[in-house]
Amino acid sequence: MIKVTAGADAPERCNQAFTVAAAALASGVPVSLWLTGESSWFALPGRAKEFSLPHAAQLGDLLDAVLAGGRVTLCTQCAARREITVDDVIEGVRIAGAPTFVEEILGEGVQALVY
């Protein structure tokens, strides 16, 4: 489980979270990536492709990799505060709240990283 709270406001921390998620998937580890806070915007089409950080993998490619092999969840409250609805998000992104988050992190063998 990787929870990313940073977006364009903290680009290095944001990109690190997506990089770790994609690397974990490439290593065969199941990944659930949670978009919260300012990273919520990356649930919208095209937003990750607009993000740029020198000497880092392209965020859109990393997100595509996680969507292809893992799970991506947008926080319910974070989405509501930004007026993002289920009709707005990229295909494959679900919107879920704290009960789902807690259920996932309490699973056997789950480790949570927060960026």
Side-chain angles (χ1 to χ4, degrees), residues 52-99:
S52 178
L53 180 64
H55 310 291
Q58 211 289 321
L59 199 70
D61 295 340
L62 296 171
L63 178 57
D64 288 345
V66 178
L67 282 166
R71 180 182 319 174
V72 179
T73 306
L74 171 60
C75 163
T76 301
Q77 291 180 9
C78 301
R81 280 190 284 277
R82 290 159 181 82
E83 298 182 358
I84 298 172
T85 70
V86 69
D87 294 328
D88 299 322
V89 299
I90 299 166
E91 184 177 339
V93 173
R94 69 177 178 164
I95 297 176

Side-chain angles (χ1 to χ4, degrees), residues 1-114:
M1 156 92 59
I2 298 171
K3 181 178 182 180
V4 56
T5 62
D9 59 324
E12 288 181 296
R13 190 163 34 111
C14 173
N15 193 272
Q16 288 168 358
F18 281 83
T19 299
V20 168
L25 278 169
S27 298
V29 177
V31 171
S32 177
L33 178 68
W34 279 71
L35 305 176
T36 67
E38 285 303 298
S39 72
S40 300
W41 296 112
F42 299 124
L44 297 175
R47 290 291 184 98
K49 302 268 187 230
E50 295 171 0
F51 180 92
S52 178
L53 180 64
H55 310 291
Q58 211 289 321
L59 199 70
D61 295 340
L62 296 171
L63 178 57
D64 288 345
V66 178
L67 282 166
R71 180 182 319 174
V72 179
T73 306
L74 171 60
C75 163
T76 301
Q77 291 180 9
C78 301
R81 280 190 284 277
R82 290 159 181 82
E83 298 182 358
I84 298 172
T85 70
V86 69
D87 294 328
D88 299 322
V89 299
I90 299 166
E91 184 177 339
V93 173
R94 69 177 178 164
I95 297 176
T100 303
F101 180 81
V102 170
E103 181 181 333
E104 280 192 31
I105 64 170
L106 293 178
E108 186 173 331
V110 174
Q111 294 193 12
L113 303 173
V114 179

